[in-house]
Amino acid sequence: MISALFLAAATLTVGRQEFPTYEFGDPDPTPLGWSRRYPYFAFSGYSDKAVQKKWQTVVLENAKTRVTIMPEIGGKVWGAEDKATGHEYIYFNHVVKFRNIAQRGPWTSGGIELNTGITGHFPGGATPTDWWTRENGDGSVSYFCGGIENVCRTFWQVEVRLGAEDDFFTTRMTRYNLSNLPTSSYQWMNAAYSAEHNAEFVFPGKDYIGHPGDPHRWPIDEGGRNIAFVETNRFCGAKSYHAMNGDNGLFAIWYHDFNFGAYHQTERYDKYGRKIWLWPLSRNGGIWTDLLTDNDGNYTELQSGRLFQQPESSEESTFGYTVLDAGAHEEYVEKWGAVRDRATLDKMATEFTADVSRPLARPAD
């Protein structure tokens, strides 16, 4: 007799999937001692013609959701699908199209990028990582990847876990400073979502800051525009909104054309950084859509970080930068899921929200 627990268990499939792939070229054999990415070298040369290539994949799946992971491309989560609706709640790029964006050059759009180390796209984001899998006693399945980030000499590990009956998955990031010196506390999970289908950002809060730390109102900006809607951002260039003052650890995106959305949650004090990145809604951004995918359209990144803001220049603002102390360890869990009605999402967006006022101007002294 087959037990009910066995029937409910999530599955884990290790295999290879074929993708049209735009490859990158050979590495520069000479490491540059003056470079901020030292001891990493850079890659150069990017193909404008695709070849069919089989990539190592790990698929975590249950009756409700499917999560695809690419161990050979930085270990990143490549995409996630809500099986009840057939909608992707994490943007799945159906081509592997490397372009010169990251610290070492090659970078791919889509999925969830696992950034750690110095500010910028992770040096190992386009190359194979150490990984392994595990079937857990409670019917869940886990994928692990990790290694040493050599600029900051930190050990990092990410567990992607899917429960037997969950319609969401979790990631657990662990970082440990192996050195006897303080190092960067930079850690951002950059998740991609479609920017189409009448998308609206659901980021609880009343303010946002830009990369220099400059404060602005959210979601109605100084020009009276509701910039929580993607389509309302058809002005100026690319957008970076670090939304603030929402203390419930949630952000989300809602697709009005589908009556469907995707959300992210953390414990309230684990990750205060919540950023929206949006390419220009003009040909300036459309060029990058063409460069990074073939048929999957424009995307936006909703990012979660340890600190309020990404750039190290934030030490010049009220939103201070900090460090990971020598020998220090940190660990935090994040939840990524689909939501199928707006009332549920609105309730999630107001739960545990505190009106926390923070200074918007740097003290004179």
Side-chain angles (χ1 to χ4, degrees):
M1 179 176 178
I2 302 176
S3 70
L5 176 63
F6 179 80
L7 288 172
T11 63
L12 189 156
T13 305
V14 176
R16 303 194 76 83
Q17 293 185 30
E18 188 171 82
F19 289 83
T21 300
Y22 296 77
E23 298 181 299
F24 58 91
D26 292 332
D28 181 342
T30 308
L32 302 177
W34 51 262
S35 169
R36 67 191 299 269
R37 67 171 175 262
Y38 184 82
Y40 291 104
F41 50 74
F43 297 91
S44 61
Y46 298 86
S47 175
D48 62 353
K49 293 181 172 58
V51 296
Q52 294 298 318
K53 182 173 179 178
K54 289 187 176 181
W55 291 91
Q56 181 81 68
T57 57
V58 177
V59 178
L60 312 182
E61 187 169 4
N62 62 21
K64 298 177 181 178
T65 194
R66 179 185 298 112
V67 183
T68 302
I69 302 163
M70 292 280 221
E72 294 176 314
I73 307 178
K76 73 188 293 187
V77 174
W78 196 256
E81 177 189 345
D82 176 54
K83 295 170 77 170
T85 62
H87 294 316
E88 295 166 3
Y89 63 95
I90 299 292
Y91 179 104
F92 189 111
N93 199 343
H94 290 83
V95 298
V96 176
K97 210 165 188 180
F98 293 105
R99 291 297 178 251
N100 186 13
I101 291 178
Q103 293 177 40
R104 300 175 72 188
W107 184 87
T108 55
S109 65
I112 303 176
E113 182 183 6
L114 318 174
N115 286 301
T116 185
I118 59 174
T119 304
H121 295 286
F122 179 50
T127 51
T129 185
D130 294 333
W131 64 279
W132 64 102
T133 61
R134 186 177 71 194
E135 296 178 353
N136 303 308
D138 61 357
S140 66
V141 289
S142 294
Y143 157 89
F144 297 84
C145 67
I148 305 297
E149 193 284 308
N150 290 306
V151 175
C152 297
R153 290 194 289 171
T154 53
F155 168 80
W156 67 277
Q157 177 183 283
V158 174
E159 176 190 9
V160 183
R161 187 182 187 106
L162 177 64
E165 299 181 0
D166 293 336
D167 58 358
F168 61 87
F169 65 95
T170 60
T171 56
R172 180 188 299 272
M173 164 67 81
T174 302
R175 292 187 71 216
Y176 174 59
N177 183 359
L178 300 169
S179 75
N180 59 357
L181 296 172
T183 192
S184 170
S185 60
Y186 181 88
Q187 200 289 309
W188 286 77
M189 302 287 270
N190 293 0
Y193 302 84
S194 173
E196 301 176 355
H197 315 298
N198 197 10
E200 177 188 359
F201 304 118
V202 181
F203 275 61
K206 297 182 295 184
D207 306 287
Y208 80 87
I209 56 175
H211 272 276
D214 48 315
H216 303 273
R217 302 301 294 174
W218 171 268
I220 308 300
D221 72 359
E222 294 88 342
R225 295 169 290 226
N226 185 353
I227 54 176
F229 285 84
V230 169
E231 282 299 313
T232 314
N233 284 273
R234 290 189 178 277
F235 63 95
C236 299
K239 305 297 188 299
S240 288
Y241 302 136
H242 297 81
M244 301 189 72
N245 285 358
D247 243 24
N248 67 345
L250 174 131
F251 62 65
I253 190 166
W254 181 256
Y255 299 104
H256 288 267
D257 290 351
F258 293 154
N259 287 320
F260 176 81
Y263 70 90
H264 165 276
Q265 280 182 316
T266 60
E267 291 295 326
R268 294 172 66 190
Y269 302 111
D270 271 358
K271 299 191 83 174
Y272 267 110
R274 303 181 308 158
K275 176 189 168 185
I276 297 166
W277 160 261
L278 189 62
W279 289 103
L281 300 180
S282 63
R283 188 55 193 152
N284 188 324
I287 290 170
W288 282 102
T289 300
D290 296 341
L291 285 170
L292 291 168
T293 190
D294 284 353
N295 300 303
D296 291 301
N298 189 22
Y299 71 96
T300 181
E301 288 183 11
L302 308 186
Q303 307 175 5
S304 68
R306 288 290 279 168
L307 307 176
F308 290 119
Q309 185 186 13
Q310 280 181 338
E312 294 168 5
S313 61
S314 61
E315 65 190 6
E316 297 300 321
S317 76
T318 58
F319 310 99
Y321 213 74
T322 186
V323 297
L324 185 64
D325 288 326
H329 162 272
E330 60 184 20
E331 183 176 291
Y332 29 87
V333 176
E334 302 175 64
K335 181 178 177 181
W336 314 81
V339 59
R340 301 176 196 88
D341 68 271
R342 186 57 188 260
T344 298
L345 179 56
D346 289 341
K347 183 174 184 295
M348 293 168 66
T350 55
E351 285 177 343
F352 309 113
T353 300
D355 183 9
V356 179
S357 296
R358 298 185 176 93
L360 296 180
R362 189 181 187 188
D365 59 355

